[in-house]
Amino acid sequence: MKEKVEELKKEIEAYIVETAEELEQYRMKFISRKSVVGDLFNELKTADQEVKREMGRTLNELKNIATNRFKSFVDDLETKEGSEKLANVPDLTLPPVADQLGAQHPILATKARIIEIFERIGFNLSEGPEVEDDWHNFSALNFPENHPAREMQDTFFIERNPDIALRTHTSSVQVRVMENQKPPIRTLSPGRVYRNEAISARAHCVFHQVEGLYIDENVSFKDLKQTLYHFVKELFGKDTKIRFRPSYFPFTEPSVEVDISCNICKGKGCNICKYTGWVEIGGAGMVDPNVLTSSNIDPEKYSGFAFGMGIERITMLLYQINDLRLFTENDVRFLKQFKNIK
Ligand code: PHE
């Protein structure tokens, strides 16, 4: 029996407990009534008096060792669990981490600047649906029946006959305004437009436009020129020059394309203006009488001008951005650069 006790002492000393389960196993083996220690006590019951006295002391000692070890296992487990719990409690004394501030998208910032300039000279804002019928996108704007812009290569059609399409310009919104309001009309229609074009550094199938419409008695081409002249000076700086080149749009007559002196080289010639000193910003013209008639406005009494430009193009000129795809890639390294613009 003595040898057995010595063996058990060694085993207890070497025993390792790391989980609650292992602790229970230890308790069953060395502490409970049915444990090996318990068995030894049972054996002692039938021994004679002399042996009982001597071995009783030895067994009690073994029992104490087993119990003390058990207590130290319990202590260890409790501190381990405790520190794990503590590790999950946030340290409330730490200074706060500042939130990252987002930046306004450059397209939205430019749109806001354009709107502000025109609002100050009396234009209001108008918006309309991005999914349009043929009448508002084409027919009311005097597009001939077989005009190429109606065809598949330019337009994303959703349904055919009658045609429903993603609007190809925001002129459709101006038709809606003319149908619902009496002149004088001075309105600005910003919005997203769609064209079936291959995506490249200079073109995209989704982009933004701002179009303007002014209808009143005695509106003439000089009003158009002066309005656009005022706009480009406000946006690009007071030294900016403007020029008009004859062009064609179904809904305006006469029609022009609008150039401004290159704001990067100041007209001297650079790769942005392809060494011409001029960059194009949009189209414009006097509203065709057919368009007024389509919207029940008397062309004998009223006249008007319209203009349209791409917001991406203007933003690229303002900030010297050379690839239009950057606007839709969501690269924060690009977007962050516009943090401080207003
Ligand atoms: N709607 C034309 C376009 O999308 C732009 C434009 C508007 C031209 C008004 C002239 C007058 O290209």
Side-chain angles (χ1 to χ4, degrees):
M1 195 184 250
K2 259 202 168 131
E3 275 165 28
K4 179 82 180 154
V5 170
E6 284 309 309
E7 245 174 58
L8 285 176
K9 273 190 192 167
K10 274 187 199 143
E11 201 183 326
I12 290 171
E13 233 167 72
Y15 209 96
I16 292 172
V17 161
E18 274 180 344
T19 63
E21 256 171 43
E22 287 168 6
L23 181 71
E24 179 59 8
Q25 281 164 11
Y26 174 88
R27 196 187 66 80
M28 296 291 281
K29 188 163 182 190
F30 298 107
I31 313 255
S32 76
R33 285 238 214 115
K34 289 177 185 156
S35 67
V36 277
V37 183
D39 288 348
L40 290 177
F41 271 109
N42 283 339
E43 268 178 46
L44 207 60
K45 278 183 192 157
T46 52
D48 56 42
Q49 210 53 37
E50 193 61 17
V51 179
K52 256 191 198 167
R53 201 183 308 124
E54 200 196 322
M55 285 312 293
R57 209 186 298 132
T58 318
L59 279 189
N60 272 329
E61 203 185 303
L62 176 67
K63 193 182 155 189
N64 282 341
I65 291 173
T67 319
N68 285 339
R69 189 103 177 103
F70 181 76
K71 280 183 190 153
S72 79
F73 286 150
V74 174
D75 281 352
D76 284 354
L77 275 184
E78 273 175 0
T79 43
K80 196 174 144 210
E81 266 176 29
S83 58
E84 268 166 18
K85 264 188 210 148
L86 263 184
N88 292 329
V89 175
D91 182 352
L92 298 177
T93 64
L94 285 174
V97 180
D99 275 343
Q100 289 262 353
L101 269 188
Q104 195 175 28
H105 194 281
I107 294 294
L108 281 186
T110 305
K111 179 175 136 181
R113 279 177 73 180
I114 297 173
I115 290 173
E116 202 194 347
I117 294 169
F118 281 103
E119 269 182 345
R120 259 189 271 132
I121 53 171
F123 280 73
N124 65 12
L125 276 189
S126 49
E127 285 183 338
E130 291 182 19
V131 175
E132 264 300 4
D133 51 32
D134 175 89
W135 172 256
H136 292 96
N137 198 76
F138 295 125
S139 296
L141 288 161
N142 199 35
F143 275 80
E145 202 54 60
N146 52 359
H147 193 278
R150 288 173 176 240
E151 283 317 306
M152 290 302 259
Q153 73 265 24
D154 284 322
T155 309
F156 289 115
F157 286 99
I158 292 174
E159 279 171 31
R160 308 282 335 228
N161 296 322
D163 291 348
I164 304 288
L166 294 176
R167 68 182 178 197
T168 59
H169 50 187
T170 54
S171 306
S172 55
V173 181
Q174 310 190 331
V175 174
R176 289 176 180 277
V177 173
M178 287 188 285
E179 284 172 345
N180 293 313
Q181 279 174 37
K182 294 258 155 299
I185 291 171
R186 254 183 261 131
T187 193
L188 201 66
S189 324
R192 201 160 26 203
V193 299
Y194 303 83
R195 281 183 206 177
N196 196 354
E197 288 194 41
I199 296 171
S200 71
R202 316 197 73 210
H204 208 292
C205 56
V206 185
F207 58 100
H208 297 77
Q209 270 193 337
V210 173
E211 297 214 357
L213 175 72
Y214 179 24
I215 299 176
D216 204 347
E217 290 175 32
N218 301 318
V219 176
S220 73
F221 198 85
K222 73 175 194 289
D223 298 312
L224 168 62
K225 280 173 91 172
Q226 192 54 42
T227 304
L228 290 180
Y229 193 38
H230 169 76
F231 165 69
V232 298
K233 283 180 149 200
E234 288 287 304
L235 190 64
F236 289 98
K238 62 177 177 9
D239 296 331
T240 314
K241 294 189 188 70
I242 191 165
R243 85 175 178 187
F244 298 87
R245 281 177 292 114
S247 187
Y248 170 77
F249 298 103
F251 33 87
T252 46
E253 182 58 38
S255 303
V256 291
E257 240 142 318
V258 184
D259 293 346
I260 59 167
S261 54
C262 180
N263 63 314
I264 289 151
C265 64
K266 305 285 172 232
K268 285 195 203 84
C270 68
N271 62 352
I272 300 280
C273 61
K274 300 205 202 83
Y275 300 94
T276 61
W278 296 94
V279 284
E280 188 196 319
I281 60 160
M286 300 307 294
V287 180
D288 193 292
N290 285 344
V291 173
L292 296 176
T293 311
S294 291
S295 299
N296 294 322
I297 293 174
D298 181 1
E300 299 295 331
K301 187 168 178 204
Y302 294 105
S303 56
F305 68 73
F307 58 87
M309 48 207 164
I311 304 183
E312 276 80 355
R313 172 128 186 94
I314 293 196
T315 312
M316 287 167 88
L317 290 173
L318 276 176
Y319 302 109
Q320 302 176 30
I321 298 163
N322 58 11
D323 193 328
L324 195 139
R325 289 167 292 197
L326 285 165
F327 292 127
T328 43
E329 277 170 357
N330 277 342
D331 185 337
V332 286
R333 290 169 304 176
F334 170 71
L335 296 172
K336 261 186 183 168
Q337 298 173 44
F338 299 89
K339 241 181 172 156
N340 297 320
I341 59 167
K342 295 239 166 51

